[in-house]
Amino acid sequence: MLKKAIYLLDHLEEYIIIALFTAILLILGSGVITRYIFSYTPSWAEQLARIFFVWVSFAGISLAARHGMHLRVTAINLILPQRIGKLVLLVGDLIASVVAFTIGYRILLLTISIYQRGQTFAAMTSVPVWVMYVAGALGMIGMGVRLVQTGIIPTILEFVGKRNGSKEKDSDQNKLGKE
Amino acid sequence: MATLVLFGVLAVALVLTVPIAIGLILATGTVFMIFHPNTPLFNLLSQAMVTTIDSFPIMAVPFFMLVGILMEKTGIALRLIRVGEAIAGTTPGGLGAAAIIACVFFAAISGSGPAVVAAIGAIMIPAMAARNYDKDYSASLVASAATIGPVIPPSIPMIIYGATVGVSVVKLFTAGFLPGLLMGAGLLVVNFIISKKRGYLGKPREGGIKWVLAQIWDGKWALFMPFLILGGIYGGIFTPTESAVVGTFYALIVGTFIYKDLTLKKVKDSLIEAALLSSIVMILLGGATTFGRLLTIEKIPAALASWMLGITETPILIMLMINLALLISGMFIDTISNIVLFAPLLVPIIIAVGYDPAFFGVIMTVNLCIGFLTPPLGMNLFVAQGVAKVPFESIVKQVMPFLAILIFTLGLMILFPDIVMVLPRLFGY
């Protein structure tokens, strides 16, 4: 039971992405069709797709941190010895996770104040605006957590000599960079 | 003073390999905390992180990535190559020409660089090796041809440029078309000359004109895709975002029912991959927008403009100076990050000397895509090296003539802006 819960939590971003990305595709696809056949698209459709897109993006931001895919300038690692280069990457990850937690917290504060004002979307008055902002808070905090989990802890363990590096992360780093 | 802190923090963060998006958040956040403490200004940053993504035009990014990924996972690359071979296969360097033509078509579908290297290179590099092409030459050829990907629309860097600067994406998409073809033509010429010199022979013709037409007909489903996506946008039928969605459905249908090689697992993986690649762009937008606003508040673009105008007042010299700086920057920083960092800074200057921001958008995209080929951090070279399994240095050596012709075409576009602007003018943008 607990194992299953941990597994679900560990793949949370992927479930969010698959479900909501598919939903956006269906919403926008049917929007194109109804516009041509009935010259009508419900005004809430675009807004709903955009809320889902914010959620997909922040789920992706968190997941990308897990795979070490976020864009960074690594030119300095070409001139530094490997071990020191790794240390610099660790410092980069540490700063990144602190900033991610901080901005996540700030977005959370913003979400709470929007919640208290009871603001809703103009195109969808039944949906409060905070449901969109909370994705930002969760995504950035998630990014911080993933950085600690897959970047910082494995590297520190490697430095104290307990494990042999995080190979998964290195190979993922090469995959990045479709423009 | 605020300027110094803004750039200082960003520079230190980037050197310490902090992700660029986080560096932007850190730099703008630090300025807010030092110079505007206890004001709600910090909320601008938090707000921008969410509201910049809550945008219909930006939603085109993940879908164009999805279209490209889905088409890679189906048999499209192979069919495009067969078409290229049928057209150019018998001339000296015919297989190389086929690879370039296939990349141009692929560019009109997906608009992504390194992905094209992987898709076309995996098939073409071994095929070229079998016909006695040197592997390092083939790898550098495919890496170079793939730079056309983001220049011929659809183009993700152009969507981001349009959103950052406030230029119509459709206008950018129209303007990018001829420059992309010109780059392709330049590469074909270089390939022809080198192939002739080294004796890379063409294939003996497999059939007459009928056979050629049959090959093109066989690729019809793949070849129709650019007409659907670009025709829909240029014809005013779809917005770019809608055309990306329609393209996704088309790719799903063709992949499932016609090429029959798309499984549910592949679709799921494609969704996740597209979301990941789009997210690493999305996280840049909030910090970059706030960064741009701070630049304006501090009047930095104006200061930079008057400094450059102090050196020269000739628009073309200013354009050349900017391009030189971007080529250098492109050696170290990826295309999208370069755009979100420098477009807000440079666009006011180029407008001040009388250029159209859409023209500059195309020039910037071409320039930064050349950065995919420049060592030490040319992503296309890394991918091509991985596919061809040859030493990095030998690819770098072989890529030089291609790099030279691409920089030459960039120069042509700067000297003759009509190459870029004639189509948008014709379409009335």
Side-chain angles (χ1 to χ4, degrees), chain A residues 15 27 41 54 79 87 131 151 154:
Chain A
Y15 298 129
I27 293 170
T41 345
V54 171
I79 45 173
L87 200 63
V131 297

Side-chain angles (χ1 to χ4, degrees), chain B residues 259-279:
Chain B
Y259 294 161
K260 295 196 174 74
D261 41 17
L262 211 53
T263 57
L264 196 62
K265 170 92 170 60
K266 279 190 190 172
V267 175
K268 273 190 194 167
D269 289 347
S270 306
L271 284 173
I272 291 176
E273 198 182 331
L276 276 172
L277 290 169
S278 123
S279 302

